[in-house]
């Protein structure tokens, strides 16, 4: 009957839905929705409801859409019918309907529909109405949730990013929300790149958008990592006004950003103090909101107080509990009160807590009583008062109060031994009323501990023992220990009898293994050596710590990053309650300059989401090997005439053929390899460029000897240094076990070879809250048979925050197992907490033994015996200009022995051998091409015009122009450093200058927004154009010098006709969405770069614009001389070379610094080389084809100021650069230009790798 | 973000269910009913996590409102949103009750569609929503009007539409303060603060820019520092003379400037301007809204003091004496005074004697309620009660605090409106033509004395 009734209802609805009266249809749809809400299945009505969709009644339409969203998934075929209506609605003149359509379409999760969604969505993203745009922005996120690939392919992400610059703040806010969500879903791709300019835009939008928009934006900004403390400060300043917002979510999100960025700011600065003052009142105000919000706020305040208790130290009173507060608010307030308790306010707090202990809610009362105990432990001066308060409470005889009091008193006894024993009598009075296990256990512990002062201790314990079997496990354990204690303290008759009884029961009649084991141990102890038993059982207990209830610091830091969110309410990291999605772990940012290992890791964690220490090491090594795999068998380098080869000889049977060469090659290259980035004192680089893991940041090799050479350079200065024996090389320590993985234990370590022994050096750091002890270490079987010669000695206990170093001598007598990679070593470290397993890579140089020298003849013989296939070649650089003798010495120290040295074709050849601990010999041929620096300084002269903003050669290179911060332009004859003329006319710094083809005119642009057109001879200003809204960053003449192009920060390129009398530009190119940073002229094209990350190519003949999205902030563009490619400089320390025709990325040039300034670049006249300045004061040259860095020259030894501008001589191999106020002229050394392939390497090495062999009885 | 919003009646029947995200299924609706509404033990937290789904809920009269999410979302925002939603619904159809929700379910769905998109809260200003979500069917609107609507929803001043016109430009300012007090038996003030709000009703034409001045310490100090920017006497007088006589009298009782601990503003106030210049300037929404909220803790003049005296005579008798003292100018009159004195639940008989007003024993509340319609300043009144108890030692009585409620016609914090200037450049009505009304009300918040 029932089923029929339902059926009848549906039939009725069906009829009504198809009625021709509009009102009836509407009523019917309402009924359908009502049934849907209650959970009835009305999906059968799908076609009928869809029929009602074509209506101009907005209300009805919305209802139909609602229905559609619910049931489309169940009826995908039918849902397609709706597509047309959607498409039509998306073109409706009413923006409300357009938005409604796009909003609903995104909610229909049917694959077939999503395809049809793309076109309307694209249109709506560019709609003229902001209401439609803001809806479309969210729709992109919806679509991404359904089909990521589609969103990628259709370019919606770019469109979404464009919306960040929308004029309407609400559109911006929704775009931020959508981008944040998308990037959270795909953390591996960098979708939402928060950089300085973006954040700036967001901060501007923040002032104008709705409260919710402000929340989205603030939450997004919280993920930004400021460049430095100034950046952080200025963002903080702009965010603090939000603290006065009425919406608590806005306030909490602002607090989150501030708490995060506070980490980056000098903690002692006035700024921080001010911020503290500003943070307190809004937090307090949150307590007068609705209770639910109060709860969220209190949970967050709890975190904030743990992290920075100073903020609220004077606000104790506001956390006093009100009678009518909901219980959850009360409990939280209590928690915070205790955290804020100190000696000055303890009296007040105690009075309050006493009051609370008389309330009705049992949980609350218990917590209050416990709180009193915690106060006693925290504030020593107040301990006595707390204890007397507790005694008062015990006198009330309220059962749960008494029990709770006894539990805390136990803790107080532990904290202050031998101080309050006088109250034991009172406690004993209440023995019978205790019925909870924890309270009983506590009482028994007290009796046992003070057995000698309690006359009837034996009676009391006996009483407990009678009901032993019914007790809770916890109580049983405690009772066992207490009785044994009693016996040891008062070895009289009754206790003895008690002990026998309890031990019998425990060992024979109980099932609990813990209890039984403890019983056996006591028994054995007591029966064999009572004295030892006394020492063990009555040993001094470690003091109880003050803050047992604090969150673990790493967790706390993570939670601080989640202020306002659920994670902060639950006090759990998000991945514990969020399903499925890959949640990135957030960490607090770290101040630069704090440079311990740990901090580096933390800092990294923020920027690179896939931060995993252990994996990083392996990955890196893996990739190194891969690299050399390619180099090894397929020596494409040698085809360019690079004479490197090496051979591996006497292949050992049982090893994989490729394993050893690769391994060694890797190592040798790292020994001899030079990575200029690492070597050239640019550790500062590494700090700024934090996306690279701190250890092994190098890209090309593990550069061991690089550091080794560095050492040498530092220690000596003069040639011919004597080498001490200690001067062997060791890698810096790296993190083997990170604190989170090691339950608070952090291990960093390295290997070194000293006095022919292999040392494993480790630092153990305790980052947990408790002390650690019982350290031990074991090494798994490994390829070289390394085993420790003695047990690990770590002074224990290791207290929290303490670091100790330990050294372990290893020898290679252990069992051998091949593991991959060969140098891998598996180590197990044990402490009292757990056993930790870790992998570390043993640098191969520690295996080099000192008796590896070989007879010359044998060497030659062996060399020839090695098959070609065992050869590996590699080329290395020596940036330190070590002499060959020094090099030899240095290598010898590390047990790389030189057999002979000859000169062939003006190149020094070194033949060397290495012997590994397992008897394998490696033969090396090292060919050294004595080279000069590729670029030599020809001339340097001061320009005397403040800081130089640009240097430019004229058309034939005989003259040059410079512009300076002193508002002048100067004309020079660079070859004689002769200043010919000074031009004035700008009212502020001059940023760019260009001379005409006939040298008769100049154009210039500057901060004063002017573009000047100057006569060179007279210095007269012919034209002054002043139409830009911001400073002019670049100016260029066209070929005939009839037109000036000027690019400005206002986002436009303006074109001026110098022949015309008009002072208005003849054309304005305003396609850029952000400041235009540079222009370059091709034959028929104008190329511009902009901070909106795009290159725009204007084809002048056809009037076409090509846009290329690069994805980095672009600062400078250069078109190659053959007009085929263009080179752009970016603010992410890489230059990129693109094919102009098809926009393909041809090459990326790295290893220089460009994060802040506009650094110019240049191409050599034959397009073979690329030059760029760098922010660390170097001039760098790359090979265009291979992207290899050829050389990097420092401008001044001590001056690392940025080199912003440079200009290549139009005919010669000369360069003009400027650093601060000086102009430098560089010339490429001739010889190098002659033999082109070798330029890249000033040192060319050659090595042979050879041959594994276990030699039995020598190598003859 | 928010995955769905559900509304239940007290029985746990779902009245409204709107799901925004695919990760929330129909079973979430039931999970909340089973685990929270029908739970045997009342849930103790406003956020619960059931099977990795978080439920945020609040209750208004008999109605449960619940938002669900599966992600780590901004919890403060969810609760703010739920409160906002309640405000919107109230402004549309009054009290939130089962009947009202059922009758307006189409409207609620429509609202939910508008204010949440994919779980992201959108413009939620009731005034603006009313301009395009109505239940009277769709008016044929011109294109221009439509763009007006959309720009109001998204625009920089989303809270006000263009083209408002009034014949008489009028505005009302209510300074409403609630005094919170917690006092110990001995008469020691444990904590006290004033939570004040400035409610404004504006009936102004066009897009008026308003500037609001108060006697905040920082502003006043700034002012004395730069004498060039002296106070405008005309404005001061308009504010003072405009309305009831209390303004002048309070001026006498209070000091010149007060220290505001913290203040929060309606979204129309330009916060960055407040931060930099400490001036409150805004374009007000049309009609009623709350301009600012503030909190002060220093120098609060407590309008009343309650002095309790409780004596237990044996196990069956208790004597309670309560003295109330009013502590403000004798010319002023406090109103709606009610004192609630809790008594033990095992009371069997109460004999009351009071000098003024009416006192009653309300056994259902376990309290004596003493009401006085009005009480002048600097007066004193007393109530004494003899209570007989039935012997009962089951539970200790924990003496809840004596609470009091009242209304006084001044601001206990000393808060004062110094001026409110109105500028409308386009329509050209001047500041002096606007009629302004200012009223001060001091109310009791949690005004408790422990007994």
């Amino acid at each position: 009957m029932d089923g029929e009734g339902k059926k009848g209802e549906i039939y009725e609805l069906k009829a009504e839905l198809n009625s021709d009266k509009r009102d009836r249809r509407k009523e019917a749809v309402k009924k359908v929705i009502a049934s849907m809400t209650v959970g009835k299945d009305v999906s059968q009505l799908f076609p009928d409801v869809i029929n009602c969709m074509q209506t101009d009644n907005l209300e009805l339409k919305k209802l139909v859409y609602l229905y559609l969203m619910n049931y489309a998934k169940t009826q995908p075929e039918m849902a397609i019918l709706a597509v047309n209506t959607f498409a039509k609605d998306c073109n409706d003149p009413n923006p409300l309907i357009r938005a409604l359509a796009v909003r609903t379409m995104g909610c229909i999760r049917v694959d077939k529909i999503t395809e049809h969604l793309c076109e309307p969505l694209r249109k709506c993203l560019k709609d003229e109405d902001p209401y439609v745009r803001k809806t479309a922005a969210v729709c992109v996120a919806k679509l991404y949730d359904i089909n990521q690939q589609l969103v990628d392919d259709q370019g919606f992400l770019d469109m979404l990013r464009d919306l960040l610059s929308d004029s309407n703040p609400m559109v911006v806010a929704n775009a931020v929300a959508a981008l944040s969500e998308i990037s959270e879903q795909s953390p591996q791709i960098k979708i939402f790149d928060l950089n300085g300019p973006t954040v700036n835009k967001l901060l501007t939008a923040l002032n104008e958008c709705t409260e919710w928009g402000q929340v989205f934006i603030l939450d997004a900004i919280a993920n930004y990592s400021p460049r430095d403390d100034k950046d952080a400060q200025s963002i903080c300043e702009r965010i603090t006004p939000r603290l006065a917002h009425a919406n608590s979510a806005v306030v909490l999100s602002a607090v989150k950003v501030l708490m995060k960025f506070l980490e980056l700011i000098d903690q002692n600065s006035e700024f921080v103090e001010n911020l503290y003052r500003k943070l307190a009142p809004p937090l307090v105000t949150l307590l007068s909101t609705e209770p639910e919000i109060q709860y969220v706020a209190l949970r967050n305040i709890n975190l904030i107080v743990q992290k920075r208790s100073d903020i609220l130290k004077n606000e104790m009173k506001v956390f006093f509990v009100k009678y009518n507060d909901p219980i959850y608010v009360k409990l939280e307030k209590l928690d915070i009160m205790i955290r804020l308790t100190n000696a000055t306010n303890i009296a007040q707090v105690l009075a309050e807590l006493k009051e609370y202990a008389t309330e009705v809610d049992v949980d609350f009362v218990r917590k209050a009583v416990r709180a009193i105990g915690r106060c006693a432990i925290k504030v020593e001066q107040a301990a006595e008062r707390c204890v007397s308060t507790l005694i008062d409470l015990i006198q009330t005889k309220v059962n749960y109060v008494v029990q709770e009091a006894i539990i805390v008193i136990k803790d107080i006894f532990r904290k202050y031994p031998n101080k309050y024993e006088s109250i034991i009598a009172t406690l004993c009075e209440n023995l019978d009323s205790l019925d909870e296990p924890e309270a009983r256990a506590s009482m028994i512990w007290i009796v046992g501990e003070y057995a000698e002062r309690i006359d009837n201790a034996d009676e009391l314990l006996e009483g407990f023992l009678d009901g032993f079997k019914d007790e809770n496990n916890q109580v049983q354990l405690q009772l066992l220990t207490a009785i044994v204690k009693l016996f040891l303290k008062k070895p009289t008759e009754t206790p003895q009898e008690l002990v026998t009884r309890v031990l019998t029961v425990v060992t024979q009649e109980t099932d609990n293994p813990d209890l039984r084991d403890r019983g056996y141990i006591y028994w054995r102890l007591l029966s064999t050596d009572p004295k030892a038993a006394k020492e063990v059982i009555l040993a001094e207990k470690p003091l109880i710590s003050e803050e047992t209830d604090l969150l673990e610091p790493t967790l706390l830091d993570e939670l601080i990053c989640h202020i306002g969110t659920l994670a902060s309410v639950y006090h759990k990291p998000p991945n514990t309650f969020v399903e499925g999605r890959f949640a990135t772990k957030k960490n607090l940012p770290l101040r630069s300059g704090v440079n311990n290992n740990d901090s580096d890791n933390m800092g990294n964690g923020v920027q690179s989401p896939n931060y995993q220490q252990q994996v990083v090491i392996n990955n890196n090594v893996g990739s190194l090997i891969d690299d050399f795999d390619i180099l090894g068998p397929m020596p494409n380098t040698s085809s360019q005439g690079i004479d490197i080869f090496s051979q591996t000889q006497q292949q050992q049977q049982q090893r994989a053929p490729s394993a050893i060469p690769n391994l060694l090659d890797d190592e040798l290259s790292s020994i001899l390899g030079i990575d200029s980035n690492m070597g050239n004192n640019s550790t500062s680089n590494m700090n700024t460029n934090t996306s690279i893991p701190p250890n092994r940041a190098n890209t090309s090799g593990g550069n061991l000897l690089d550091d080794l050479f560095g050492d040498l350079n530092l220690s000596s200065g003069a040639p011919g240094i004597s080498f001490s024996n200690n001067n062997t090389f060791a890698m810096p320590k790296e993190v083997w076990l990170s604190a989170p993985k090691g339950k608070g234990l952090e291990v960093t370590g390295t290997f070194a070879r000293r006095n022919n022994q292999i040392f494993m050096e480790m630092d153990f750091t305790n980052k947990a809250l408790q002390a650690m002890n019982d350290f031990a270490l074991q090494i798994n079987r490994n390829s070289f048979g390394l085993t420790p010669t003695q047990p690990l000695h770590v002074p224990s206990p290791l207290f929290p925050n303490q670091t100790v170093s330990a050294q372990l001598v290893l020898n290679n007598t252990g069992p051998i197992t091949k593991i991959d990679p060969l140098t891998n070593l598996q180590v197990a470290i044990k402490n009292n907490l757990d056993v930790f397993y870790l992998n570390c890579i043993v640098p191969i140089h520690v295996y080099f033994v000192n008796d590896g020298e070989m007879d010359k003849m044998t060497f030659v013989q062996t060399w020839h015996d090695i098959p070609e296939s065992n050869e590996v070649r590699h080329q290395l650089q020596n940036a330190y200009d070590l002499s060959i003798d020094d090099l030899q010495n240095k290598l010898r120290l590390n047990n790389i022995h030189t057999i002979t040295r000859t000169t062939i074709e003006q190149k020094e050849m070194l033949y060397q051998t290495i012997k590994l601990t397992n008897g394998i010999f490696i033969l090396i041929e090292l060919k050294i091409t004595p080279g000069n620096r590729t670029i030599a300084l020809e001339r340097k002269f001061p320009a005397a015009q403040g800081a130089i903003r640009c240097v430019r050669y004229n058309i034939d290179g005989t003259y040059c122009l410079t512009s300076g911060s002193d508002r002048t332009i100067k004309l020079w004859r660079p070859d004689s450093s002769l200043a010919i003329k000074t031009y004035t006319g700008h009212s502020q710094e001059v940023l760019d200058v260009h001379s005409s083809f006939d040298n008769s005119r100049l154009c210039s642009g500057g901060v004063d927004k002017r573009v000047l057109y100057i006569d060179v001879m007279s210095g007269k200003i012919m034209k002054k154009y002043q139409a830009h809204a911001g400073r002019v960053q670049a100016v260029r003449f066209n070929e005939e010098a009839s037109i000036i192009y000027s690019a400005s920060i206002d986002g436009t390129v303006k074109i001026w006709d110098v022949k015309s009398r008009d002072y208005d530009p003849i054309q304005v190119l305003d396609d850029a969405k952000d400041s235009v940073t540079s222009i370059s002229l091709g034959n028929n094209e104008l190329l511009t770069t902009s901070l909106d990350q795009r290159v725009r190519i204007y084809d002048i003949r056809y009037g076409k614009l090509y846009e290329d999205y690069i994805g980095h902030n672009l600062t400078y563009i250069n078109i190659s001389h053959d007009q085929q490619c263009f080179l752009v400089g970016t603010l992410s320390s890489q230059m990129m070379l693109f094919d102009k025709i098809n926009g393909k990325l041809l090459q990326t040039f790295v290893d220089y610094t460009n994060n802040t300034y506009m650094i110019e670049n240049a191409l050599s006249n034959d397009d073979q080389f690329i030059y760029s300045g760098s922010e660390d004061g170097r001039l760098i040259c790359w090979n265009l084809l291979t992207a290899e860095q050829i050389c990097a020259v420092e401008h001044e030894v001590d001056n690392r100021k940025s080199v912003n501008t440079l200009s290549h001589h139009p005919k010669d191999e000369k360069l003009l650069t400027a650093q601060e106020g000086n102009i430098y002229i560089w010339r490429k050394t001739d010889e190098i230009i002659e033999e082109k392939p070798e330029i890249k390497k000033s040192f060319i090495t050659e090595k042979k790798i050879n041959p594994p062999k276990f030699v039995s009885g020598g190598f003859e | 973000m928010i995955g769905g919003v559900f509304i239940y009646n007290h029985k746990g029947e779902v009245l409204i269910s709107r799901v925004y995200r695919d990760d929330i299924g129909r079973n979430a609706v039931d999970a909340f009913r089973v685990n929270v509404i029908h739970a045997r033990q009342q849930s103790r937290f406003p956020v619960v996590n059931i099977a990795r789904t978080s439920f945020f809920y609040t209750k208004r009269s008999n109605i449960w409102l619940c938002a669900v999410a599966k992600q780590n979302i901004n919890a403060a925002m969810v609760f703010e949103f739920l409160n906002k939603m309640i405000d919107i619904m109230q402004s549309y159809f009054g009290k939130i009750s089962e009947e009202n929700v059922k009758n307006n379910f189409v409207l609620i769905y429509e609202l939910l569609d508008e204010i949440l998109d994919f779980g992201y809260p959108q413009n939620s200003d009731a005034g603006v929503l009313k301009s395009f979500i109505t239940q009277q069917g769709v008016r044929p609107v011109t294109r221009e009007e439509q763009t007006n609507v959309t720009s109001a929803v998204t625009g920089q001043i989303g809270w006000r539409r263009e083209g408002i016109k009034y014949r008489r430009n009028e505005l009302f300012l209510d300074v409403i303060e609630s005094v919170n007090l917690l006092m110990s038996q001995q008469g020691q003030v444990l904590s006290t603060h004033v939570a004040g709000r400035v409610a404004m009703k504006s009936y102004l034409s066009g897009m008026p820019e308003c500037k609001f001045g108060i006697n905040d310490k920082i502003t006043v100090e700034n002012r004395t520092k730069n004498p060039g920017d002296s106070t405008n006497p005309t404005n001061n007088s308009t504010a003072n003379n405009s309305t009831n006589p209390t303004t002048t009298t309070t001026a006498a009782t209070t000091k010149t400037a007060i220290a505001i601990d913290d203040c929060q503003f309606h979204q129309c106030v330009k916060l960055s301007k407040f931060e930099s210049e400490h001036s409150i300037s805004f374009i007000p929404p049309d009609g009623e809204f709350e301009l600012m909220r503030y909190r002060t803790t220093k120098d609060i003049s407590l309008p009343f003091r309650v002095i309790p005296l409780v004596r237990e005579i044996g196990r069956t008798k208790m004597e309670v004496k309560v003295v109330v003292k009013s502590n403000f100018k004798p010319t002023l009159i406090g109103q709606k005074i009610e004192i609630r004195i809790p008594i033990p639940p095992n009371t069997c008989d109460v004999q009351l004697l009071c000098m003024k007003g009416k006192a009653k024993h309300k056994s259902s509340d376990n309290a004596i309620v003493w009401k006085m319609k009005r009480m002048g300043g600097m007066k004193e009144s007393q109530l004494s009660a003899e209570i007989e108890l039935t012997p009962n030692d089951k539970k200790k009585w924990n003496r809840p605090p004596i609470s009091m409620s009242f209304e006084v016609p001044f601001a206990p914090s000393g808060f004062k409106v110094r001026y409110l200037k109105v500028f409308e450049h386009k329509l050209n009505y001047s500041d002096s033509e606007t009629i302004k009304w200012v009223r001060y009300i001091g109310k009791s918040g949690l005004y408790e004395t422990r007994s």
Side-chain angles (χ1 to χ4, degrees), chain A residues 675-683 686 694-698 702-703 706-707 732 880:
Chain A
D675 180 314
S676 53
N677 195 13
M678 189 80 168
N680 272 348
N681 305 319
S682 37
T683 29
M686 288 184 46
N695 319 313
R696 301 197 163 217
N698 41 2
N703 63 355
D706 186 18
D707 283 358
Y880 293 98

Side-chain angles (χ1 to χ4, degrees), chain B residues 16-84:
Chain B
I16 297 284
S17 95
R18 176 75 164 92
V19 173
Y20 294 93
R21 298 244 164 180
D22 210 33
D23 51 7
I24 304 297
R26 182 80 204 172
N27 51 356
V29 180
D30 302 325
F32 183 73
R33 179 186 19 248
V34 173
N35 290 296
V36 180
I37 303 181
H38 290 168
R40 208 170 294 157
Q41 236 185 344
Q42 205 193 335
S43 170
R44 312 201 71 166
F45 301 100
V47 190
V48 285
N49 195 333
I50 304 162
R52 297 206 149 205
T53 311
S54 297
F55 294 81
F56 304 74
Y57 65 93
T58 177
K59 214 178 159 187
R60 288 298 140 102
S61 60
N62 269 335
I63 298 294
W64 298 77
L65 267 101
C66 169
V68 249
K70 278 218 157 176
Q71 285 155 298
N72 178 29
I73 72 171
N74 194 319
M77 188 178 81
V78 178
F79 282 122
E80 282 284 352
F81 172 77
L82 286 178
N83 286 325
K84 196 83 188 190

Side-chain angles (χ1 to χ4, degrees), chain B residues 212-224:
Chain B
F212 183 50
I214 52 176
N215 61 337
D216 177 21
K217 215 172 210 167
I218 302 166
T219 336
V220 173
E221 271 165 18
N222 278 354
R223 213 163 270 274
T224 44

Side-chain angles (χ1 to χ4, degrees), chain A residues 30 33 36-39 58-59 62 66 69 73 94-95 100 103 109 129-131 134-135 138 141-142 168 170 174 177 181 208 210-212 215-216 219 241-242 244-249 252-253 278 281-282 284-285 290 292-293 295-296 317 322-324 327-328 352 355 358-361 363 562 564-567 569-570 574 576-579 581, chain B residues 14-18 21-22 26 44-49 52 54 56-58 60 70-77 79-81 83-84 105-106 109-110 113-114 117-118 120-124 132-133 135 137-138 143 146-147 149-150 153-156 182 189-191 193 261-265 267 271-272 275 293 295 396 398 400-401 446 448 450:
Chain A
K30 275 190 191 175
I33 302 288
M36 191 179 87
T37 304
V38 192
L58 200 57
E59 197 186 334
K62 282 183 184 171
L66 187 64
M69 280 185 256
K73 229 177 169 180
N94 186 342
L100 178 66
R103 187 163 62 211
R109 305 174 61 94
D129 195 298
Y131 181 74
K134 72 130 186 159
T135 315
V138 176
K142 292 178 187 172
N168 187 297
M170 188 132 173
N174 274 6
E181 172 157 352
E208 293 166 351
T210 62
E211 43 196 335
W212 312 117
V215 176
F216 307 151
D219 283 350
R242 296 299 123 198
H245 202 284
N247 187 318
S248 63
L252 275 177
S253 291
K278 282 181 187 163
V284 172
T285 302
E290 282 80 6
E292 291 91 3
I293 297 175
Y295 174 69
V296 174
K317 273 190 177 176
K322 296 198 185 99
Y323 188 75
N324 293 331
I327 180 69
Y328 49 82
E352 279 294 307
E355 194 74 37
T358 63
E359 287 241 17
V360 259
D361 190 287
D363 278 356
H562 289 292
T565 66
L566 267 179
V569 175
Y570 294 146
T576 55
F577 60 89
V578 172
E579 213 161 54
R581 293 211 172 86
Chain B
V14 58
L15 303 179
I16 297 284
S17 95
R18 176 75 164 92
R21 298 244 164 180
D22 210 33
R26 182 80 204 172
R44 312 201 71 166
F45 301 100
V47 190
V48 285
N49 195 333
R52 297 206 149 205
S54 297
F56 304 74
Y57 65 93
T58 177
R60 288 298 140 102
K70 278 218 157 176
Q71 285 155 298
N72 178 29
I73 72 171
N74 194 319
M77 188 178 81
F79 282 122
E80 282 284 352
F81 172 77
N83 286 325
K84 196 83 188 190
F105 88 94
V106 175
Y109 274 127
E110 208 174 324
D113 195 43
E114 189 58 47
D117 189 4
F118 203 37
Y120 290 105
Q122 304 291 312
N123 195 318
S124 51
F132 68 104
I133 295 184
Q135 286 300 297
V138 197
R143 193 149 185 190
Q146 276 163 5
T147 40
V149 166
T150 52
V153 180
T154 58
Q156 300 189 359
L182 187 62
V189 176
L190 293 175
S191 79
H193 75 271
D261 283 30
D262 186 31
C263 46
Q264 296 175 310
F265 297 102
Q267 53 169 327
L271 290 178
S272 41
E275 179 81 9
R293 268 191 254 164
R295 192 166 50 80
K396 207 183 132 271
N398 67 334
L446 267 181
E448 292 180 341
R450 287 183 180 157

Side-chain angles (χ1 to χ4, degrees), chain A residues 937-958:
Chain A
L937 180 64
E938 197 175 82
R939 188 183 283 276
K940 165 193 164 185
F941 52 94
Q945 52 178 163
I948 297 174
R949 293 301 176 220
C950 92
V951 288
R952 296 283 179 261
Y953 270 115
N954 76 334
I955 191 98
D956 60 356
T958 34

Side-chain angles (χ1 to χ4, degrees), chain A residues 630-681:
Chain A
I630 297 165
L631 272 180
M634 205 175 55
N636 52 352
T637 40
S638 64
S639 66
Q640 292 177 0
I642 292 154
D643 22 5
I644 289 175
F645 60 92
S646 44
Q647 295 184 341
T648 313
Q649 199 179 42
Q650 289 167 338
Q651 185 74 45
Q652 223 199 341
Q653 299 314 223
Q654 65 263 53
R655 304 216 172 186
S658 70
I660 289 193
N662 282 342
L663 169 72
L664 294 176
D665 193 28
D666 165 21
E667 193 55 35
L668 280 174
S669 69
S670 52
I671 287 180
L672 296 166
I674 274 141
D675 180 314
S676 53
N677 195 13
M678 189 80 168
N680 272 348
N681 305 319

Side-chain angles (χ1 to χ4, degrees), chain B residues 182-190 306 308 448-451:
Chain B
L182 187 62
M183 199 180 251
S184 70
Q185 297 96 304
Q186 291 80 26
Q188 185 191 6
V189 176
L190 293 175
V306 177
E448 292 180 341
T449 308
R450 287 183 180 157
S451 59

